[in-house]
Amino acid sequence: SMVGALNIARSESIKRIQYVTVGKLGNTWESGWQVFVDKNKNGSFDAATDTVIQTYESITANTMNTSFTNYISYRPDGRSNTIGSFYFCSPTALAAFRRVVIANSGRIRTETQDTSTKTYTNEC
């Protein structure tokens, strides 16, 4: 669902010619996240001016580590405001490890334990 959220944000930013942000709900990304049109480009949802595109529920079975503090924004040209990774980690299954990487170009790729340059034990 994170890859889907990021793809929607990138696509909508290009289509709408506006900043579109993926922001966490609550104190952690595990609490859920939402995709919204970010009219004032500040990375936080403002009910008076911003429009929610999609909301995603919390993650309960896995843990999630990330270098992103609160949000990722996409510009109207499809580029992201920053680079980084999300690590989705299963407490019981190494095979369930996933890394979602976001490049400054906005490109999103996913990796598994077999294809990642990072190791499960270091990131989870």
Side-chain angles (χ1 to χ4, degrees), residues 65-120:
N65 295 321
T66 184
S67 58
F68 299 108
T69 306
N70 296 312
Y71 67 93
I72 303 103
S73 288
Y74 283 92
R75 299 176 179 110
D77 63 3
R79 292 181 299 133
S80 60
N81 66 317
T82 187
I83 61 171
S85 299
F86 286 97
Y87 300 91
F88 294 88
C89 310
S90 168
T92 59
L94 178 62
F97 169 85
R98 294 288 182 270
R99 179 179 179 210
V100 177
V101 183
I102 303 164
N104 191 264
S105 66
R107 183 178 172 269
I108 303 154
R109 76 175 189 276
T110 58
E111 300 175 347
T112 65
Q113 181 62 32
D114 293 335
T115 62
S116 181
T117 58
K118 304 289 185 177
T119 61
Y120 178 85

Side-chain angles (χ1 to χ4, degrees), residues 4-116:
L6 294 166
N7 281 325
I8 287 170
R10 187 175 190 213
S11 172
E12 289 294 319
S13 70
I14 295 166
K15 181 175 87 174
R16 295 172 186 247
I17 314 171
Q18 294 182 316
Y19 274 65
V20 176
T21 296
V22 179
K24 71 180 181 180
L25 298 172
N27 294 328
T28 68
W29 284 96
E30 291 166 322
S31 300
W33 53 90
Q34 68 181 358
V35 179
F36 60 93
V37 176
D38 194 358
K39 294 268 188 183
N40 63 3
K41 308 172 195 168
N42 70 352
S44 96
F45 180 72
D46 302 309
T49 58
D50 296 342
T51 304
V52 174
I53 297 171
Q54 181 80 32
T55 301
Y56 295 82
E57 294 184 15
S58 62
I59 296 175
T60 56
N62 298 328
T63 59
M64 184 175 167
N65 295 321
T66 184
S67 58
F68 299 108
T69 306
N70 296 312
Y71 67 93
I72 303 103
S73 288
Y74 283 92
R75 299 176 179 110
D77 63 3
R79 292 181 299 133
S80 60
N81 66 317
T82 187
I83 61 171
S85 299
F86 286 97
Y87 300 91
F88 294 88
C89 310
S90 168
T92 59
L94 178 62
F97 169 85
R98 294 288 182 270
R99 179 179 179 210
V100 177
V101 183
I102 303 164
N104 191 264
S105 66
R107 183 178 172 269
I108 303 154
R109 76 175 189 276
T110 58
E111 300 175 347
T112 65
Q113 181 62 32
D114 293 335
T115 62
S116 181

